[in-house]
Amino acid sequence: MQIGSVTTPFGRRPMTLALVKRQIEASEIKPGKTADKWKVFRDASEARELLGLQDRSLAVLDALLSFYPDNELRQDAQLIVFPSNAQLTLRAHGIAGATLRRHLALLVEAGLIVRKDSANGKRYARKDKAGEIDSAFGFDLSPLLMRVDELAMMAQQVVADRFALRRAKENLTICRRDVRKLISAAIEEGASGNWESIEAIYTGLVGRIPRSPTLSDVNSILDEMELLQQEIINILEMHQKDENVSTNGDHHEQHIQNSNTESCCEFEPSSRNEQGAKAVNDGRPKREPVRNFPLGMVMRACPEISMYGPGGTIDSWRAMMIAAVVARSMLGVSPSAYQEACDVMGPENAATAIACILERAGHINAPGGYLRDLTRKAARGEFSLGPVLMALLRVHGQGERAVG
């Protein structure tokens, strides 16, 4: 393969250290390395967004590869192609001259090709007496060979992300449909509960779905939609239990609905199905593990806690727990009360409880006693953080994004 020295661009095009680096790297390709040029092209096409390329850029790259005579890029071959702009325009489906130059520059910037300019900027090749190319000036395809493994990995990641996004969208569609129909059924059949508030939360979640959502966008909304769905099911289960109790007590007495099941508005009990049914063994209740909620959701519901994190931000559960310890001290919650909450709820949920108390600090007279009360309810399987988070999300308009 013809290497030559590092060359600078012709004319007014500037030289950069990145170009120097790419030319040096292109000269250090492992001896004997080969790759199918069209396989490399497909990988680059798949990874075009990561590379910052457009469809026209790929059309120009396809045209450049068509001027390389073999299907296999080889380390020991001459990898410089030297078509004129007119030839490139023809093979790139009639692309305009200015557009061609712009996308050639994008390919260089993306590190897929390197310019090897002659003294006058023309593209050509010199041949020796045997008719073999001795030196050539044009576009060096060596970076494609050098980055073949990297491009393959990038393409695989894009495919995996696309699949994950498709699955997440499907799950969100199903969950959204279920929530909508459950709310409608509950309202039409007169089930007890604050369905007006729940429907407002649902509408807010749907309104946050972007026109072109990313995977993180979909997962964030899906987490909250699944939480809302679970809370609706809990309310309906409690409603059904109330009906069963009323029916068993007196078949002729009209059922009186419980009007205090607005589980999305206050720090309220959960159904025992959510925390685990209470079973007695040796006098001690057994609890299933308490569900941890997504950190992003917690931060959107409780943005005040972020100022207590390291550097004034929270980007992990570890930072969240550090912030909770600081906030605990500020709220006057004793270490023993917080430790008990950690033992019963788990450290993540205990930190979340502190964040929720901090968010409503102006309405709570004794945060320490309040946390102990929540801990006792959680130990009996009578408390869930889900309604608390949903209420705070509603207060913050469902759309405010905090750190996390």
Side-chain angles (χ1 to χ4, degrees), residues 1 19 21-23 25-27 29 33 40 73 79-80 107-108 110-116 139-151:
M1 182 181 73
L19 289 176
K21 179 182 176 182
R22 288 169 192 158
Q23 292 188 50
E25 288 175 343
S27 68
I29 299 175
K33 186 173 185 178
V40 179
L73 301 173
L79 293 175
I80 297 176
L107 291 171
V108 172
L112 297 185
I113 61 174
V114 172
R115 292 181 185 272
K116 291 289 185 179
F139 299 103
D140 191 349
L141 304 177
S142 298
L144 287 172
L145 180 58
M146 178 190 67
R147 300 180 63 186
V148 59
D149 297 327
E150 178 191 355
L151 292 172

Side-chain angles (χ1 to χ4, degrees), residues 203-243:
T203 303
L205 286 175
V206 173
R208 279 173 46 200
I209 302 175
R211 181 173 297 180
S212 300
T214 64
L215 180 59
S216 61
D217 291 332
V218 176
N219 282 336
S220 174
I221 297 172
L222 178 59
D223 285 338
E224 296 182 35
M225 191 70 76
E226 287 178 340
L227 174 61
L228 181 60
Q229 180 186 29
Q230 186 59 52
E231 292 306 319
I232 291 172
I233 292 173
N234 289 341
I235 294 172
L236 294 177
E237 285 180 349
M238 293 172 69
H239 174 76
Q240 185 63 43
K241 288 178 182 178
D242 289 344
E243 283 190 339

Side-chain angles (χ1 to χ4, degrees), residues 158-227:
V158 168
V159 171
D161 289 346
R162 185 184 301 130
F163 177 76
L165 178 59
R166 184 168 65 249
R167 288 291 299 273
K169 284 183 175 179
E170 290 174 355
N171 292 337
L172 179 58
T173 298
I174 293 172
C175 188
R176 176 180 172 181
R177 178 193 67 199
D178 292 346
V179 169
R180 176 67 272 171
K181 292 193 174 184
L182 285 171
I183 293 174
S184 297
I187 294 174
E188 291 171 4
E189 298 183 24
S192 60
N194 192 346
W195 299 110
E196 187 174 312
S197 295
I198 292 173
E199 187 163 27
I201 294 173
Y202 168 79
T203 303
L205 286 175
V206 173
R208 279 173 46 200
I209 302 175
R211 181 173 297 180
S212 300
T214 64
L215 180 59
S216 61
D217 291 332
V218 176
N219 282 336
S220 174
I221 297 172
L222 178 59
D223 285 338
E224 296 182 35
M225 191 70 76
E226 287 178 340
L227 174 61

Side-chain angles (χ1 to χ4, degrees), residues 250-285:
D250 185 358
H251 290 288
H252 301 288
E253 183 180 352
Q254 288 187 351
H255 174 61
I256 302 176
Q257 293 182 348
N258 180 3
S259 61
N260 295 320
T261 56
E262 300 176 7
S263 67
C264 290
C265 297
E266 295 293 338
F267 288 79
E268 297 180 2
S270 69
S271 75
R272 282 177 169 78
N273 288 336
E274 181 176 348
Q275 297 287 351
K278 184 166 65 176
V280 178
N281 182 21
D282 296 333
R284 291 188 177 185

